[in-house]
Amino acid sequence: MNYELIGVTVLWTFLYGYIIVASIDFGAGFFNFYSKLTGDDNVISPIIQRYLNPVWEVTNVFFVFFFVGIIGFYPDTAYYYGTALLIPASIALILLAIRGAYYAFNSYNKEPKLSWTFLYGVTGLLIPASLSMALVISEGGYIVDGGDGIQLQLEELLFSTYGWSVVFLAIITVLYVSSGFLTFYAARAEDNQALELVRRWFLIWALPMLFISQFVFLGLREHNLEHFQRAQDYWYLFGLSLVSMGIAVFLMWRRRFFGLAFIMIMLQFAFAFYGYGISKLPYILYPYIDINTSVVNDAMAFSLTIVFILGLLLLIPSLVLVMRLFLFDKEYVRGKSSNKY
Amino acid sequence: MDDVIIGRVLTASTLGFHIIFATIGVGMPLVFMVLEFLGLRKKDDKYLTMARRIAKGYTVTVAVGVVTGTIIGLQLSLIWPEFMQFGGQIIALPLFMETFAFFFEAIFLGIFLYTWDRFRNPWHHWLLNIPIVVGSTLSAVFITTVNSFMNTPAGFDLVDDVFVNVDPLAAMFNPSSYVRIFHVVVTAYTTAAFIIASIAAFKLLRSKHKEDREYHKKALRVMMVIGLIAAAMSALAGDLSAKFLHENQPEKLAAMEWHFETEDNADLVLFGMLDEETQEVSYEIRVPSALSFLAGSSFDTEVTGLNDIPEDERPPLIIHYFFDTMVFFGMFGLSVAIIYHIAKFTRFNEHHPALLYLYVLTGPLSVAAIESGWFLAELGRQPWILRGYMRVSEAVTNAEGLGITLIAFVMLYIVLGATCVYVLLRMFQNKSVHADHLEMYGDKDRGGLLP
């Protein structure tokens, strides 16, 4: 069997999952903080809390899953990324720790503190920025394999147009996806005031989203021409992504089918993300890690695949249960308790 | 300081901090599972109130456990990249399984915490405990197999630096896995039970809410039963570990016992001070031939001494102190649980203040025992990161900035730890259990939502 492809598909799918759920999570934290500043918090905070409370740990697991999986399927990544990312990844970890912990501290403290709300609101925007550095580095050019091991060219990374465009893409993605999700969630809660507020946020972020994604393409052309040219072979995926975005924005603007609109947002990112991923192959880290030569030994790859399938059999029903209880249960979403199970 | 030391200190501080929360994370679900069961079974909502309060506090510790767990998961690759590249070929499976177990637990914990009053049949809510206990225990099991693999590698052949005949299951269930899994899981249960016992005893001594006394006595009774069973099993696990080390890792046993000459009728050394130059031990309590008996159940078992181990493969001798601390504090918990039951079944008042002070100590001392146990286990396999295959000095990263990373993380742990304690205190200090009870179940003992 073709383990290197199975591995990369599984991992890419989990990274996609993480981008969606983490964007919702991080953005919701930021909007929660922002609404406290503008005094809109009595409108929007209850909705955000009701969604975030039961799922915040689950978000984190998607991330753990991704990095444990990538080291499992491609152990070389531990060596290259591990060495190169000591400082950037440590910063991301500290931010993640502050966010995760202070989110919980704030929800369980007697009265929430504004400074703690600030901590998890703002780290929510900084984390995607710092994590996206790993994707930037994967395009090659920032790591040199010298005689004494791997060295990260930190200076080159800090002054790179491509690097910064990806950082902004990450931040805008967070605000765009989460406001889109919150619009859908507020619509389910039939809370019109909250709906109008988040719908406005979503529409505000749609335009920069469009700009920054074009900008990233231009940056990629400058930075890794080979990858840029391969990406053009998959132009139709990027086209579909654009169409999905158009439908999503249209539906939101006309206040119709918010559920469908959010599915379109998910499709928009799915097309773009898989298009980017496919055109990137066969490299996980250009030009050092090639999926064909760095895959783990057969016995381990086989058992990882089996465990993965068994794991999914457990996870999918449990995730469905979570969604039924906290996402599609109208009574819960509206904040009423019910004893119907 | 050189990078090897900084890397070790950084890993030790992350793990040392994480282990407190991880142990609570593994043990505490069993505690509120039992309490909720008793509440439903006896139709007594006092137990249910306690289960709910403990679960609420547990969530705060879980948050810290989750973020520090994420940190150590990535830090392994950041600090020891060459080890993870090398070991990734073998330990990927249990790491992956650990994430699944954790995922499973996280999902059901989320459901559990937010559905206390949503089920018409409260037993359905109780059932949610099962995936939580299974998930948290299994993640301990899988991660322990990874650590066991580093102590006793198995399941592969190394030919010219290339792995052949890899058997992922044999690597997971390597020689030391069973003993260590047993030890880790039962000590986590013990510690969780004693932590709650400590709190109950402390509140009986100091709380200003007199109406809560009944709750604390009930909690103490349940926790001492769990504590007694789990602590007795921990003692058994410790004994099995000694026998295991004798067979498979004699250098660790010899170093933790300051045992230099290979001999039968070897003495067990308790406490004492060592002069490393002359190998002289002073101020010690010497139990004749006991080490031989511990290692092989008979006094004429020959125990390998340190002098028969190559000098550059000897673990540091400081681990003897950690060994003493672990055994002494572990035994303390077991003894206190026995004293509680003796006092309860004789005429003596089991809530006598003198005894309460003893109970208060069980929780903190159990945590101290866990910490020293891990320091013993980890320092005891020095100089190896993968025993027999890779030394710690060969595995450390060559990236710059390890020193500043260490400072940043230590500060993070101090801040997180302090805030966590602050939140937990604020959560429970001024609110009596009885007030929580009224809020959750009204003023009659009607067993909550019991039909």
Side-chain angles (χ1 to χ4, degrees), chain A residues 105-284:
Chain A
F105 292 161
N106 216 24
S107 343
Y108 290 91
N109 196 19
K110 270 205 181 126
E111 60 264 12
K113 287 180 194 285
L114 184 65
S115 55
W116 293 5
T117 314
F118 167 80
L119 276 182
Y120 74 83
V122 171
T123 48
L125 292 189
L126 297 177
I127 293 164
S130 57
L131 287 181
S132 63
M133 278 298 163
L135 272 186
V136 173
I137 287 171
S138 73
E139 289 300 332
Y142 302 108
I143 291 182
V144 176
D145 195 351
D148 53 344
I150 310 295
Q151 290 294 337
L152 177 69
Q153 309 298 103
L154 201 61
E155 214 166 293
E156 238 166 275
L157 187 64
L158 285 179
F159 293 106
S160 119
T161 337
Y162 176 65
W164 283 105
S165 62
V166 173
V167 166
F168 282 112
L169 175 69
I171 294 175
I172 293 174
T173 299
V174 162
L175 297 169
Y176 174 84
V177 172
S178 68
S179 56
F181 176 82
L182 289 174
T183 315
F184 156 71
Y185 203 68
R188 277 202 74 78
E190 291 174 14
D191 184 338
N192 274 324
Q193 233 184 329
L195 173 69
E196 283 309 312
L197 187 68
V198 281
R199 175 179 160 274
R200 202 171 66 228
W201 289 342
F202 175 78
L203 292 175
I204 287 173
W205 287 108
L207 206 60
M209 183 73 223
L210 197 64
F211 273 123
I212 194 73
S213 40
Q214 305 313 311
F215 207 73
V216 167
F217 266 105
L218 290 179
L220 185 62
R221 188 165 131 191
E222 290 286 302
H223 186 76
N224 185 339
L225 191 63
E226 208 184 316
H227 184 181
F228 178 74
Q229 280 163 345
R230 266 198 311 274
Q232 287 178 328
D233 298 341
Y234 298 98
W235 63 270
Y236 51 91
L237 287 175
F238 298 103
L240 282 172
S241 167
L242 214 57
V243 171
S244 314
M245 181 181 177
I247 299 176
V249 174
F250 177 78
L251 290 174
M252 291 280 190
W253 179 53
R254 299 299 300 266
R255 293 192 178 80
R256 271 182 215 163
F257 309 117
F258 291 106
L260 182 66
F262 188 68
I263 291 174
M264 283 298 150
I265 294 173
M266 282 169 68
L267 282 180
Q268 172 197 341
F269 279 92
F271 285 127
F273 193 68
Y274 282 91
Y276 169 77
I278 293 170
S279 57
K280 200 176 167 58
L281 292 179
Y283 294 108
I284 296 182

Side-chain angles (χ1 to χ4, degrees), chain A residues 10-11 14 53-58 60-65 67-69 71-73 75-76 78-87 89-91 93-94 96-102 104-111 113 116 148-151 294-297 299-300 303-305 307-312 314-315 318-319 321-322 324-326 329 332 337-341, chain B residues 10 56 59-60 62-64 66-75 77-79 81-82 84-100 102-115 117-121 124 128 163 166-168 171 397-402 404-405 408-409 412 415-417 419-420 422-423 426-431 449:
Chain A
V10 164
L11 293 172
F14 264 90
N53 275 339
V55 301
W56 64 270
E57 295 163 82
V58 179
N60 205 52
V61 190
F62 272 90
F63 176 58
V64 178
F65 215 106
F67 72 69
V68 167
I71 291 164
F73 274 102
D76 284 355
Y79 177 64
Y80 284 94
Y81 282 113
T83 310
L85 291 176
L86 176 67
I87 299 293
S90 293
I91 295 173
L93 280 177
I94 289 174
L96 266 175
I98 291 176
R99 196 197 127 82
Y102 278 88
F105 292 161
N106 216 24
S107 343
Y108 290 91
N109 196 19
K110 270 205 181 126
E111 60 264 12
K113 287 180 194 285
W116 293 5
D148 53 344
I150 310 295
Q151 290 294 337
S294 63
V295 70
V296 74
N297 61 75
M300 186 51 79
S303 45
L304 284 179
T305 311
V307 166
F308 179 74
I309 293 168
L310 293 178
L312 277 192
L314 266 183
L315 286 187
S318 343
L319 282 175
L321 183 61
V322 169
R324 268 191 49 190
L325 287 169
F326 301 113
D329 185 293
Y332 175 80
S337 65
S338 61
N339 305 322
K340 60 182 184 169
Y341 290 95
Chain B
L10 178 49
K56 217 171 129 195
T59 321
V60 175
V62 164
V64 182
V66 168
V67 296
T68 50
T70 311
I71 290 174
I72 189 63
L74 256 180
Q75 252 181 8
S77 302
L78 296 176
I79 306 175
E82 275 174 83
M84 287 304 275
Q85 183 185 30
F86 188 70
Q89 299 277 344
I90 313 286
I91 55 175
L93 184 71
L95 279 177
F96 206 53
M97 291 165 90
E98 199 265 349
T99 335
F100 268 116
F102 172 40
F103 214 141
F104 196 57
E105 183 203 347
I107 288 176
F108 282 95
L109 186 64
I111 298 176
F112 178 83
L113 290 171
Y114 292 93
T115 54
D117 295 320
R118 268 177 84 181
F119 294 94
R120 193 169 290 158
N121 181 347
H124 290 170
L128 291 169
F163 288 101
V166 174
D167 180 348
T397 182
N398 55 26
E400 284 163 24
L402 212 49
I404 186 88
T405 317
F409 276 105
L412 174 75
V415 172
L416 285 188
T419 328
C420 182
Y422 169 82
V423 172
R426 292 266 318 224
M427 214 157 142
F428 297 116
Q429 215 167 25
N430 291 320
K431 191 157 186 189
L449 294 165

Side-chain angles (χ1 to χ4, degrees), chain B residues 330-346:
Chain B
M331 284 301 172
F332 176 83
L334 180 60
S335 319
V336 170
I338 293 172
I339 290 171
Y340 172 88
H341 284 99
I342 293 174
K344 188 163 178 269
F345 290 114
T346 56

Side-chain angles (χ1 to χ4, degrees), chain B residues 128-343:
Chain B
L128 291 169
N129 280 298
I130 296 172
I132 297 172
V133 170
V134 169
S136 59
T137 304
L138 279 185
S139 48
V141 168
F142 294 136
I143 210 66
T144 308
T145 66
V146 173
N147 187 273
S148 303
F149 174 82
M150 293 160 84
N151 278 275
T152 51
F156 63 92
D157 294 314
L158 199 60
V159 180
D160 300 331
D161 277 340
V162 176
F163 288 101
V164 290
N165 303 328
V166 174
D167 180 348
L169 288 177
M172 252 179 92
F173 297 104
N174 57 72
S176 63
S177 287
Y178 297 102
V179 174
R180 306 175 101 241
I181 288 170
F182 181 49
H183 201 151
V184 166
V185 171
V186 291
T187 49
Y189 292 156
T190 315
T191 306
F194 283 143
I195 287 175
I196 299 298
S198 287
I199 297 174
F202 181 80
K203 295 257 179 173
L204 281 174
L205 282 169
R206 287 285 158 84
S207 176
K208 55 180 183 269
H209 304 290
K210 294 294 169 223
E211 71 275 22
D212 283 357
R213 295 187 70 82
E214 206 184 329
Y215 293 90
H216 301 319
K217 286 180 181 170
K218 279 187 170 168
L220 200 56
R221 196 165 70 219
V222 180
M223 292 312 127
M224 282 299 174
V225 173
I226 302 177
L228 179 67
I229 299 168
M233 291 211 292
S234 308
L236 173 66
D239 182 53
L240 292 175
S241 301
K243 292 189 173 35
F244 171 83
L245 288 178
H246 167 67
E247 294 287 330
N248 292 280
Q249 267 178 294
E251 75 280 9
K252 195 190 260 184
L253 186 67
M256 73 198 213
E257 272 306 317
W258 290 342
H259 181 62
F260 296 98
E261 295 302 328
T262 303
E263 60 188 1
D264 51 16
N265 284 307
D267 297 346
L268 181 72
V269 176
L270 290 176
F271 309 106
M273 303 264 283
L274 177 73
D275 184 342
E276 291 210 22
E277 294 296 311
T278 58
Q279 303 189 345
E280 292 284 326
V281 182
S282 40
Y283 308 117
E284 85 280 20
I285 302 170
R286 207 169 260 280
V287 188
S289 306
L291 182 59
S292 287
F293 190 79
L294 278 180
S297 304
S298 97
F299 294 114
D300 44 15
T301 309
E302 190 177 79
V303 182
T304 312
L306 268 182
N307 292 341
D308 285 351
I309 309 277
E311 209 161 321
D312 64 342
E313 291 181 14
R314 287 182 200 163
L317 294 171
I318 189 177
I319 62 175
H320 174 75
Y321 301 111
F322 291 113
F323 174 69
D324 281 346
T325 314
M326 173 186 80
V327 171
F328 185 69
F329 288 167
M331 284 301 172
F332 176 83
L334 180 60
S335 319
V336 170
I338 293 172
I339 290 171
Y340 172 88
H341 284 99
I342 293 174

